[in-house]
Each structure stands twice: as C-alpha cells, then as structure tokens.
Amino acid sequence: MLDTTALNQQRNFFEGQAAIWLFGYGSLIWKADFTYLERRPAYIHHWERRFWQGSHDHRGTPEAPGRVATLIRSPGAVCHGMAYRITPEVLAPLDVREKNGYLREKVTLTFVDEKGSEPEQSEGLIYLASDDNPAFLGEAPLADIAQQIANAHGPSGPNKEYLLNLATALRELDAKDAHIFALEQHLSRL
Ligand code: SIN
C-alpha cells in the first residue's frame, strides 16, 4: 500500500526551527490527537477543500476505499481550518497518520483575529494529497460521493463520521464551505 512516510521525512521546510505552524483542513481540525503548544483558527488563500482523496487505511479499506479531504488549487478562494503550533518531533506520527498519499507542503497561513485588526500571517505546513498520488479518486457527482461515504468503514471508523465531524467543526469556526455542506445534505437524505 501507498506510504509517503519516508518521503515526508525528507521534506524539512523548517529545518532548525524550534516550533512550526501546521494548518489542518480535514481530520486535523477535529481530531487533534497530538501535542500542540497553541492553536488558532486560520485560513489559506487559493485552495478549496474537496472529498477527492481515497482512504484505504482509515475510513475505508483497499477493497472499498472511503473518501477524505484534500485541497485543490482555486485562485481567489479561501479555505478555513485550524492552525497548531507544534514542535518538529510531532510530525513523525503525523507522517504515519497521513501516509496514504499526503505530502508536506509549505503554505502561507493567515490567522483569524479580532475584526478590524491587521491580519497576522505565518509560513506553515499542510499535508496535501495532490491529483497525481495513487490514492486520489478525484471528482464525482456529489450524490455518488455521499453514497460512497455512507457505505465506507475503515480501521478509524465509519467514513460518515469524518464528514459529519468536519461539517460540525467548520460551523463552529463560522466557516462557509459549499462542497462540505452540500455533501452533508446529501448524506442526510440517504
Ligand atoms: C488535514 O486534516 O489537514 C489533512 C487531511 C486529513 O487528515 O483529513
């Protein structure tokens, strides 16, 4: 099975830094099972969230993969999520968690602050599953994606739990995401 762990260990964009910002846009928003120094709602520009990545290891199986979140480039778009300030050793278990096609990438993130204050930015990391990774499933009608999510289960639990937890977390962040909320609607009709 696909395993990006070793590749990610070469991707040291913040070598020598005592702490780095990790931006979560999928399960990393609602499942922070790692130690962090601080967390702050944040967003990144020119990316949109999509349930286009296959999950053969967490929310599905090799025979019946589930679908989980990745990002696609979208000029002018904004993707909301949660930024965590972590020490570099925290990345080792995250590389294992994200091994099914995700690679560490460097991004600029903007923190959500009090209205009216100057937006604060930082460089950070995301785990990105790009469209050339072998577990990428790509676009499909929303009804079909919702049906696949409704049916899939994996070692981390039912695939629908991932989607519903993400939709709830985004509402808590006051974040709009038409793709996620439409999928949630489709799922509720099944
Ligand atoms: C992320 O949450 O930022 C990466 C994708 C995932 O684990 O769902």
Side-chain angles (χ1 to χ4, degrees):
M1 207 198 282
L2 184 57
D3 189 340
T4 54
T5 310
L7 263 177
N8 273 325
Q9 278 157 14
Q10 313 297 314
R11 298 171 75 84
N12 284 315
F13 300 114
F14 298 97
E15 190 95 65
Q17 289 196 19
I20 55 181
W21 284 100
L22 170 72
F23 177 80
Y25 59 83
S27 71
L28 292 174
I29 299 182
W30 53 268
K31 191 175 181 186
D33 59 356
F34 51 89
T35 305
Y36 54 88
L37 306 168
E38 186 187 353
R39 78 171 165 183
R40 293 174 69 180
Y43 53 90
I44 54 176
H45 286 284
H46 313 307
W47 294 99
E48 276 184 72
R49 204 174 347 248
R50 290 286 186 276
F51 267 76
W52 289 5
Q53 176 66 3
S55 180
H56 306 75
D57 55 346
H58 283 296
R59 300 285 166 174
T61 60
E63 299 72 36
R67 277 184 177 254
V68 289
T70 187
L71 299 173
I72 57 160
R73 286 187 195 278
S74 177
V78 165
C79 177
H80 280 264
M82 186 63 83
Y84 302 88
R85 200 160 63 84
I86 57 170
T87 54
E89 68 272 12
V90 172
L91 290 175
L94 286 175
D95 290 341
V96 174
R97 170 170 161 178
E98 303 293 330
K99 69 182 188 317
N100 196 42
Y102 292 86
L103 287 177
R104 299 182 194 173
E105 297 290 345
K106 199 172 169 184
V107 289
T108 301
L109 51 102
T110 307
F111 299 104
V112 175
D113 278 317
E114 298 291 308
K115 282 205 169 43
S117 63
E118 196 59 30
E120 194 190 331
Q121 294 193 315
S122 176
E123 295 304 296
L125 272 187
I126 55 171
Y127 282 93
L128 176 70
S130 57
D131 60 5
D132 57 358
N133 87 84
F136 191 77
L137 297 177
E139 188 166 10
L142 286 178
D144 295 358
I145 294 181
Q147 188 67 62
Q148 185 175 354
I149 290 173
N151 294 342
H153 286 72
S156 298
N159 200 174
K160 68 176 181 220
E161 180 184 74
Y162 179 118
L163 171 61
L164 297 178
N165 285 351
L166 181 55
T168 301
L170 290 174
R171 266 191 292 277
E172 282 168 10
L173 288 171
D174 220 5
K176 301 205 179 7
D177 191 315
H179 177 78
I180 303 299
F181 296 143
L183 279 176
E184 184 188 35
Q185 281 287 317
H186 277 281
L187 192 71
S188 72
R189 283 189 228 118
L190 292 173

